[in-house]
Amino acid sequence: MEKGKKVVTLAYGCQMSERDAETLTEITRQAGYTSSAELESADLVIVNTCCVRESAENKILGKIGELKKLKDNNPNLKIAISGCMVQQPGALERLRKRAPHVDIWAGTHNLHEFAVLLEKAERGVKVAEVWQEPKKILESTPLAERGKLQANVNIMYGCDNFCSYCIVPHVRGRERSRKPEEIVQEIKDLVTGGCREITLLGQNVNSYGKEFSPAYDFADLLRDVDQIPLLSRIRFITSHPKDLSDKLIETVAQGGKLCEHFHLPIQSGSNLILERMNRKYSREYYLSRVRKIRELLPLATLTTDIIVGFPGESEEDFEQTLAVMNLVHYSQAFTFMYSKRSGTLAADMEDQIPLDVKKRRLQRLMSVQNQKSLEWRQQMIGKVYEVLVEGPSKTNPERLNGRTRGNELVVFSGGSEIIGSLVNVRILEAGSWTLLGDIESL
Ligand code: SAM
Ligand code: SF4
């Protein structure tokens, strides 16, 4: 293989898509490519796709169209499209017709075989391979780039929950947990390479290990990861409220490296809608989980995901969602308009909500949450927080930035020698999205 070729990898969607994109970049590195951000000089462009919402798909289709122009100017350019969008039932044929300029199509279950597909494409053969099922649990996917301070680590793949709006179980398959010893080893290797903060990834980390015998659950995994020397912080995402056990909350409450941040998607505050969404918890149960967290961890940060305009959502249902936001005080909420996903149960439900109603509800939700987020940051003023120094601030390179244990972004002054360390920062000001502070002690 000719050396010195450049690859640009673009990831759309969630952290799992980002992690898959890292795996693909590492596979291409092993095949002699250097990672680059410049599309114009690339020899290979990989687009790892997302299909959770129609808006993501439209953006990606636009990007694939743009790449055609790039290929017209550079016929040697290879283009690979991978991930969730390609994995949707019937999608491959449709996409291939629409984008004949693409050289490689790969689904979510065969990413680890990408080197084989790449080698064929380099010989001028167009390849499309999508496995219907994963053939094994992927234990040792190539590591994320070494030397990074933070890394995402898959602890499980797939999802068994089948929320009625969601395409994820259809494109990522059934839930399967990685072996704890493999996860711990991957993290140790990352730490040896300089990593200090890891985020454990799963569509529902709270059901990690449910197939294991003898019993070993997510709280057990957290305890084992907590023992890894030199690792400073452990985060995890996403916690499905129905499986958030007392044991897990108690484990996080023991502190240490475990960051007291729960991303606990509520999706809706109305029991009627939660039922139609097949979320398997009620608003009351959700709030009881929040109370338990606040009881053991009064300073814990809570974030959430909310969908507005789910089929059949009335004004009253929507008001109940707003009411939960007022009760819980999320530091941040990821808010979405319901997007019809073909193949899911909700796509065939009656009472689809008109776009203008969805837009209006989203605007209202966002303005309530913006106010709540600001209030959350304002109550931090004057207090001291542990911050992991990440590097120069993107908005002001003269200053540094980092995150609190609750995942809030803080900007402060300091020298580059403290990048990678934990410092105590007193919060002085709350901006619209960030906090400004001063280092109290190293
Ligand atoms: N597994 C995670 C969970 O249960 O919360 C979330 C995974 S999903 C990639 C991220 C978020 O996208 C969901 O929490 C939901 O709010 C949103 N989402 C999923 N399907 C959607 C749809 N059809 N329309 C709008 N938002 C959607
Ligand atoms: Fe989608 Fe629900 Fe699974 Fe999350 S838990 S990935 S929202 S089906």
Side-chain angles (χ1 to χ4, degrees), residues 52-53 165 203 238 265 267 279 305 307 336-337 339 341:
V52 161
R53 283 169 292 277
Y165 50 81
Q203 295 297 349
T238 292
Q267 312 296 359
R279 288 290 287 179
D305 293 348
I307 298 175
F336 311 106
M337 280 190 284
S339 168
R341 303 286 68 204

Side-chain angles (χ1 to χ4, degrees), residues 171-188:
V171 292
R172 290 205 169 253
R174 295 296 70 71
E175 203 170 284
R176 47 229 188 260
S177 300
R178 291 180 63 197
K179 293 190 192 107
E181 57 274 22
E182 295 273 351
I183 297 169
V184 168
Q185 189 54 51
E186 177 171 335
I187 298 170
K188 282 184 178 163

Side-chain angles (χ1 to χ4, degrees), residues 14 52-53 159 161 163 165-168 202-204 238-240 263 265 267 279 305-307 334 336-341:
C14 65
V52 161
R53 283 169 292 277
C159 180
N161 292 303
C163 301
Y165 50 81
C166 185
I167 194 73
V168 170
Q203 295 297 349
N204 175 10
T238 292
S239 280
H240 196 303
H263 183 63
Q267 312 296 359
R279 288 290 287 179
D305 293 348
I306 298 179
I307 298 175
F334 299 88
F336 311 106
M337 280 190 284
Y338 167 71
S339 168
K340 203 171 175 180
R341 303 286 68 204

Side-chain angles (χ1 to χ4, degrees), residues 19 22 143-153 183-200 225 228-235 257 388-389 419-422:
R19 180 64 188 87
E22 284 177 359
L143 277 181
E145 212 178 300
R146 286 187 166 243
K148 279 191 352 187
L149 199 59
Q150 290 145 318
N152 291 328
V153 175
I183 297 169
V184 168
Q185 189 54 51
E186 177 171 335
I187 298 170
K188 282 184 178 163
D189 290 345
L190 283 164
V191 170
T192 307
C195 177
R196 293 293 170 264
E197 177 179 296
I198 51 128
T199 304
L200 305 174
V225 175
I228 297 175
L230 293 179
L231 181 65
S232 303
R233 282 178 168 182
I234 306 163
R235 299 186 184 282
K257 297 166 188 169
L388 177 67
V389 187
I419 293 173
S421 47
L422 294 172

Side-chain angles (χ1 to χ4, degrees), residues 2 35 43 72 111 119 166 274 305 312 315 320 332 384 437:
E2 187 189 326
S35 176
D43 299 283
D72 289 344
L111 288 185
E119 195 262 327
C166 185
L274 285 172
D305 293 348
E315 281 301 321
Q320 288 180 22
Q332 204 183 354
V384 176

